[in-house]
Coordinates of all heavy atoms in Angstrom, one line a residue:
E42 N -13.4 -25.9 21.6 CA -14.1 -25.9 22.8 C -15.4 -25.1 22.7 O -15.8 -24.4 23.6 CB -13.3 -25.3 23.9 CG -12.0 -26.1 24.2 CD -12.3 -27.5 24.8 OE1 -13.3 -27.7 25.4 OE2 -11.4 -28.4 24.5
G43 N -16.0 -25.2 21.5 CA -17.3 -24.4 21.2 C -17.1 -23.0 20.8 O -18.1 -22.3 20.5
W44 N -15.9 -22.5 20.7 CA -15.6 -21.2 20.2 C -15.2 -21.2 18.8 O -14.5 -22.1 18.3 CB -14.4 -20.6 21.0 CG -14.7 -20.2 22.5 CD1 -14.7 -21.1 23.5 CD2 -15.0 -19.0 23.0 NE1 -15.1 -20.5 24.7 CE2 -15.2 -19.1 24.4 CE3 -15.2 -17.7 22.4 CZ2 -15.6 -18.1 25.2 CZ3 -15.5 -16.6 23.3 CH2 -15.7 -16.8 24.7
H45 N -15.7 -20.2 18.0 CA -15.3 -20.1 16.6 C -14.0 -19.3 16.5 O -14.0 -18.1 17.0 CB -16.4 -19.5 15.8 CG -16.2 -19.5 14.3 ND1 -17.0 -19.0 13.4 CD2 -15.1 -20.0 13.6 CE1 -16.6 -19.1 12.2 NE2 -15.4 -19.7 12.3
A59 N -11.3 -15.0 18.6 CA -12.3 -16.1 19.0 C -13.6 -15.4 19.3 O -13.7 -14.3 19.9 CB -11.8 -16.9 20.2
R60 N -14.8 -16.0 18.9 CA -16.1 -15.5 19.2 C -17.0 -16.6 19.4 O -16.7 -17.8 19.1 CB -16.6 -14.6 18.0 CG -16.9 -15.4 16.7 CD -17.2 -14.5 15.6 NE -17.7 -15.2 14.4 CZ -16.9 -15.8 13.5 NH1 -15.6 -15.8 13.6 NH2 -17.5 -16.4 12.4
V61 N -18.2 -16.3 20.0 CA -19.2 -17.3 20.2 C -20.6 -16.7 20.2 O -20.7 -15.5 20.5 CB -19.0 -18.0 21.6 CG1 -19.2 -17.0 22.7 CG2 -19.8 -19.3 21.7
I62 N -21.6 -17.4 19.8 CA -23.0 -17.0 19.8 C -23.6 -17.7 21.0 O -23.5 -18.9 21.2 CB -23.7 -17.3 18.5 CG1 -23.1 -16.5 17.4 CG2 -25.2 -17.0 18.7 CD1 -23.7 -16.9 16.0
G63 N -24.2 -16.9 21.9 CA -24.7 -17.5 23.1 C -23.7 -17.7 24.2 O -22.8 -17.0 24.4
E64 N -23.9 -18.8 24.9 CA -23.0 -19.2 26.0 C -21.9 -20.1 25.6 O -22.0 -20.9 24.6 CB -23.8 -19.8 27.1 CG -24.8 -18.9 27.7 CD -25.5 -19.5 28.9 OE1 -25.3 -20.7 29.2 OE2 -26.3 -18.8 29.6
A65 N -20.8 -20.1 26.3 CA -19.6 -21.0 26.0 C -18.9 -21.2 27.3 O -19.0 -20.4 28.3 CB -18.7 -20.4 25.0
T66 N -18.1 -22.3 27.3 CA -17.3 -22.6 28.5 C -16.2 -21.6 28.7 O -15.5 -21.3 27.7 CB -16.8 -24.1 28.4 OG1 -17.9 -25.0 28.2 CG2 -16.0 -24.4 29.6
I88 N -10.5 -12.2 22.3 CA -11.9 -12.5 22.2 C -12.7 -11.4 21.6 O -12.5 -10.2 22.0 CB -12.5 -12.8 23.7 CG1 -11.7 -13.9 24.4 CG2 -14.0 -13.1 23.6 CD1 -11.8 -15.3 23.7
R89 N -13.5 -11.7 20.6 CA -14.4 -10.7 20.0 C -15.8 -10.7 20.7 O -16.5 -11.7 20.6 CB -14.5 -10.9 18.5 CG -15.3 -9.8 17.8 CD -15.1 -9.8 16.3 NE -15.8 -8.8 15.6 CZ -17.1 -9.0 15.1 NH1 -17.7 -10.1 15.3 NH2 -17.7 -8.0 14.5
E90 N -16.1 -9.7 21.4 CA -17.3 -9.6 22.2 C -18.4 -8.8 21.5 O -18.2 -7.6 21.2 CB -17.0 -8.9 23.6 CG -18.2 -8.8 24.5 CD -17.9 -7.9 25.7 OE1 -17.6 -6.7 25.5 OE2 -17.9 -8.5 26.8
T91 N -19.4 -9.5 21.1 CA -20.5 -8.9 20.3 C -21.8 -9.0 21.1 O -21.9 -9.8 22.1 CB -20.7 -9.5 18.9 OG1 -21.4 -10.8 19.1 CG2 -19.4 -9.8 18.2
P92 N -22.9 -8.3 20.7 CA -24.2 -8.5 21.4 C -24.7 -9.9 21.3 O -25.6 -10.3 22.0 CB -25.1 -7.5 20.6 CG -24.2 -6.5 20.1 CD -23.0 -7.2 19.7
L93 N -24.1 -10.8 20.4 CA -24.6 -12.1 20.3 C -24.0 -13.1 21.3 O -24.5 -14.2 21.6 CB -24.2 -12.7 18.9 CG -24.8 -11.9 17.7 CD1 -24.4 -12.6 16.4 CD2 -26.3 -11.9 17.8
M94 N -23.0 -12.6 22.0 CA -22.4 -13.4 23.1 C -23.2 -13.2 24.4 O -23.6 -12.1 24.7 CB -20.9 -12.9 23.3 CG -20.2 -13.7 24.4 SD -18.6 -13.1 24.8 CE -17.7 -13.5 23.3
A95 N -23.5 -14.3 25.1 CA -24.2 -14.2 26.3 C -23.5 -13.3 27.3 O -22.2 -13.4 27.4 CB -24.5 -15.6 26.9
T98 N -21.2 -15.1 29.6 CA -19.9 -15.5 29.0 C -18.9 -14.3 28.9 O -17.7 -14.5 29.3 CB -20.1 -16.1 27.6 OG1 -21.0 -17.2 27.7 CG2 -18.9 -16.5 27.0
S99 N -19.4 -13.2 28.5 CA -18.6 -12.0 28.5 C -18.1 -11.7 29.9 O -16.9 -11.4 30.1 CB -19.4 -10.8 28.0 OG -19.9 -11.0 26.7

Side-chain angles (χ1 to χ4, degrees):
E42 301 294 331
W44 291 81
H45 189 179
R60 68 188 190 277
V61 69
I62 295 176
E64 296 184 353
T66 304
I88 302 298
R89 186 166 179 268
E90 181 188 61
T91 77
L93 301 179
M94 181 185 291
T98 301
S99 298

